Amino acid sequence: MNIFKDEYRGKKVLITGHTGFKGAWISIWLKSLGAEVIGYSLEAPTEPSLFKICKLDDKITSIVGDVRDEKKLKDVFQKYKPEIVFHLAAQPLVRLSYNEPRMTYETNVMGTVNVLEAARNVDSVKAVIIITTDKCYENKEWVYGYRETDPMGGYDPYSSSKGCVELVTASYINSFYKEKGIALASVRAGNVIGGGDWAEDRVIPDFARSVSEKKSIVIRNPLAKRPWQHVLEPLSGYLWLGALMLKDKEKYSSSWNFGPRDTDSLNVDEILNLAIKSWGKGNIIIDKNEQPHEANLLKLDISKVKAYLKWYPVYEVNKAVDKTIQWYKSYYDNKSENMYAYTLKQIQEYEIEARIQNLIWSE
């Protein structure tokens, strides 16, 4: 029996943003749990991409579409009639949001509204989970973690748009979803790392690219402190929350932080030094040019998920970095490696470690 007690076996699960980094990981995990996975997303946003490397279009139902396309999205919901929805589709980059603010708001805010509208108008849907970010909070640069009840905010358009998404989700819970008997929740994670991420302006992907090309990595904010966690940490929380929501539609309809331990919040230069140690090589160059504003200090309080979901992080930051670097080394050093099988192996290793620690997935 898997750690989710077969809650997803045979269930129809729709994932928006399945061609992205986190979307591909959760698609692979759900497929291994016996779910019927339907993905709705734009084409893979990077080259290479985890989605293409693992040939997910041959393993799940993959539909190319934009969450801003209200009609097409509704048609997909009507055709496939999912039972649970994970909404990950987004414009996720801070610097791009400065260049494309309208597209960022249209995708992140109205795209979410379109998903919520499509889901509430299909009788099959029992639970919807909206994935946002730790950057949705009004960041005051204080030393303690943000709680789910703290104010939403956001300096840059990306962060602001995600704060808006949280407000939209809370409104839909109270205005529509309770009455319809559909569970709805929003989830926030820290800075996620893991193999298969090639997005721009992300420290570990930039590092992996640089090492593979025998170049130094250029970083903008070496002292910026972030809550680092392996991608499987928040995904395990999303999946466990989803399983609970299927059982109790009101109890779990709220917002949830899935962050790392307090001790796993490190500066950018500290996380890179761990990556260099794990890979065995790498060099850092600091870009001293003026950069757009980004928060320097950000932490999440995970007391709520510990108390109500009995969810705890499994990997400490050192292990999270090691698992991430192992994935990239396997990809770059051995092009013949079956990376779908390797990704599944890392999921299974995480599940085993969770069982050994007996930390999570207990009611």
Side-chain angles (χ1 to χ4, degrees):
M1 181 181 290
N2 65 63
I3 55 179
F4 297 105
K5 304 175 183 177
D6 288 333
E7 291 293 340
Y8 289 97
R9 186 167 299 281
K11 288 188 170 61
K12 287 187 176 182
V13 182
L14 190 146
I15 302 167
T16 68
H18 69 292
T19 60
F21 165 56
K22 287 171 71 176
W25 271 95
I26 199 171
S27 297
I28 293 168
W29 203 342
L30 280 163
K31 178 71 175 175
S32 75
L33 296 174
E36 181 182 339
V37 180
I38 303 104
Y40 180 91
S41 180
L42 298 174
E43 297 281 0
T46 62
E47 182 60 48
S49 71
L50 181 63
F51 177 80
K52 290 182 179 179
I53 288 168
C54 292
K55 300 178 181 178
L56 284 183
D57 53 349
D58 295 332
K59 298 175 175 66
I60 66 173
T61 300
S62 180
I63 301 158
V64 176
D66 194 321
V67 289
R68 293 175 293 177
D69 188 338
E70 181 183 7
K71 182 181 184 306
K72 184 169 185 177
L73 190 62
K74 283 184 176 180
D75 288 345
V76 168
F77 272 78
Q78 292 289 343
K79 178 177 179 179
Y80 292 96
K81 301 191 184 310
E83 297 167 74
I84 184 166
V85 178
F86 292 93
H87 175 46
L88 289 89
Q91 192 299 94
L93 301 175
V94 171
R95 290 214 293 180
L96 180 59
S97 76
Y98 281 108
N99 296 328
E100 297 282 352
R102 178 183 290 275
M103 182 271 287
T104 299
Y105 284 108
E106 286 176 347
T107 301
N108 294 352
V109 182
M110 289 311 300
T112 300
V113 171
N114 290 340
V115 169
L116 291 170
E117 282 293 298
R120 79 182 181 99
N121 287 296
V122 177
D123 291 339
S124 61
V125 176
K126 298 180 175 66
V128 179
I129 295 178
I130 306 297
I131 287 78
T132 66
T133 174
D134 56 354
K135 295 179 181 64
C136 67
Y137 292 103
E138 181 184 347
N139 193 345
K140 299 180 180 179
E141 304 273 346
W142 52 39
V143 295
Y144 53 87
Y146 292 92
R147 295 183 176 181
E148 288 85 348
T149 52
D150 284 326
M152 297 294 100
Y155 183 103
D156 57 89
Y158 165 71
S159 303
S160 167
S161 73
K162 286 299 193 175
C164 291
V165 168
E166 291 287 351
L167 297 176
V168 167
T169 303
S171 175
Y172 266 72
I173 290 173
N174 295 319
S175 301
F176 306 112
Y177 274 61
K178 280 183 182 178
E179 183 181 343
K180 287 275 293 185
I182 303 173
L184 173 60
S186 64
V187 292
R188 305 144 186 181
N191 271 43
V192 173
I193 61 175
D197 187 5
W198 280 280
E200 295 180 3
D201 293 339
R202 289 184 183 163
V203 172
I204 297 298
D206 286 348
F207 170 77
R209 269 190 296 262
S210 298
V211 172
S212 70
E213 297 169 3
K214 299 180 180 179
K215 297 178 180 178
S216 296
I217 177 174
V218 179
I219 59 174
R220 305 186 304 275
N221 300 304
L223 299 182
K225 190 171 236 182
R226 297 287 185 268
W228 306 96
Q229 58 190 148
H230 192 274
V231 63
L232 293 176
E233 301 280 21
L235 295 187
S236 71
Y238 305 166
L239 290 171
W240 178 232
L241 175 62
L244 294 174
M245 289 167 70
L246 291 173
K247 296 179 180 180
D248 192 321
K249 292 180 174 60
E250 287 196 30
K251 183 176 180 180
Y252 303 103
S253 289
S254 62
S255 56
W256 306 87
N257 289 341
F258 291 97
R261 301 169 180 84
D262 282 345
T263 53
D264 291 338
S265 289
L266 301 178
N267 293 344
V268 168
D269 60 351
E270 291 175 317
I271 203 77
L272 277 174
N273 284 324
L274 287 178
I276 289 169
K277 181 180 178 182
S278 180
W279 200 308
K281 57 184 175 181
N283 296 295
I284 300 172
I285 296 176
I286 298 173
D287 182 353
K288 296 183 179 180
N289 294 320
E290 186 175 350
Q291 303 292 338
H293 175 275
E294 289 191 56
N296 286 312
L297 178 61
L298 190 59
K299 293 174 69 177
L300 290 174
D301 185 306
I302 59 172
S303 302
K304 184 180 175 183
V305 292
K306 288 180 179 178
Y308 294 103
L309 304 186
K310 301 297 185 289
W311 180 94
Y312 298 83
V314 174
Y315 287 160
E316 294 182 357
V317 67
N318 289 36
K319 194 157 193 177
V321 172
D322 276 338
K323 290 291 184 182
T324 300
I325 297 306
Q326 287 170 19
W327 195 101
Y328 282 114
K329 287 186 74 174
S330 180
Y331 173 76
Y332 283 114
D333 295 346
N334 185 5
K335 291 292 188 178
S336 63
E337 180 83 59
N338 182 335
M339 295 311 296
Y340 180 78
Y342 191 86
T343 304
L344 272 177
K345 176 174 171 286
Q346 288 206 330
I347 290 172
Q348 291 159 1
E349 289 169 349
Y350 181 86
E351 290 178 330
I352 291 168
E353 186 65 27
R355 289 192 193 96
I356 290 171
Q357 295 188 36
N358 194 29
L359 290 178
I360 55 177
W361 306 296
S362 59
E363 295 181 76

